[in-house]
Amino acid sequence: MAGTKTFTMIKPDGVESNNIGNILQMITDAGFAIKAMKLTRLSTEQAQEFYAIHAERPFYGELVEYMTSGPIVSAILEKDNAVEDFRTLIGATNPAEAAEGTIRAKYAESIGRNAVHGSDSDENAEIEGNFHFPVAEVVA
Ligand code: IDP
Ligand code: MG
């Protein structure tokens, strides 16, 4: 059975373009409950660890630089079928390919600066949520 939790970040471009409110509105309108949330800024070490899976990709250095370039909003979200439904809500990685009405179609600038993160599996949702929020910080 699909899990009920996913993890998201409003990335530096989404914060910089003043779209925190618009993006959170879309998330809650789509039926996600916010279980933990904070404004924070990743250190280089944290961004490298969070995106370690992409360490061999040519854009890794650029990705780490961008993700540390300004504040982000990180959050744990709850809904039935959370991971898949949230990936549908955010749209494709490249906003040029993202379906109309998705968060990335509306607010992302480019494939690199694409406004939001969404976990790609229940396992990674758990790992990523724990990375940003010690268990004690999550509202029951
Ligand atoms: P996802 O965020 O849709 O899951 P991934 O393939 O997991 O996409 O890539 C992680 C992040 O790395 C993307 O959201 C984007 O910020 C960045 N990224 C992916 N592909 C490229 C690229 O070709 N150029 C620059 N940045 C990229
Ligand atoms: Mg991914």
Side-chain angles (χ1 to χ4, degrees):
M1 205 183 86
T4 58
K5 294 260 178 65
T6 192
F7 171 77
T8 189
M9 295 180 284
I10 302 176
K11 295 181 175 184
D13 63 297
V15 174
E16 169 71 25
S17 60
N18 278 333
N19 284 312
I20 294 175
N22 290 327
I23 291 169
L24 289 177
Q25 187 73 58
M26 285 185 71
I27 289 171
T28 53
D29 282 352
F32 292 88
I34 297 167
K35 304 303 287 185
M37 186 166 71
K38 66 183 169 193
L39 182 77
T40 186
R41 185 166 180 164
L42 295 177
S43 67
T44 298
E45 293 70 27
Q46 285 174 316
Q48 285 171 337
E49 187 180 340
F50 188 86
Y51 283 111
I53 195 168
H54 295 306
E56 305 305 321
R57 308 277 284 274
F59 57 80
Y60 181 64
E62 183 190 331
L63 174 60
V64 169
E65 199 171 313
Y66 151 64
M67 288 301 297
T68 57
S69 67
I72 62 166
V73 174
S74 62
I76 294 173
L77 305 174
E78 186 174 73
K79 183 186 180 299
D80 286 347
N81 202 35
V83 166
E84 188 185 350
D85 285 2
F86 193 71
R87 296 288 304 199
T88 301
L89 179 67
I90 68 178
T93 308
N94 184 349
E97 292 163 12
E100 197 179 332
T102 59
I103 293 175
R104 282 168 167 169
K106 289 175 100 138
Y107 301 119
E109 295 173 15
S110 66
I111 190 168
R113 296 169 61 84
N114 59 2
V116 279
H117 168 82
S119 304
D120 63 6
S121 66
D122 289 343
E123 187 190 359
N124 283 336
E126 176 80 13
I127 292 168
E128 292 171 359
N130 290 339
F131 182 88
H132 283 256
F133 297 96
V135 172
E137 289 184 22
V138 179
V139 177

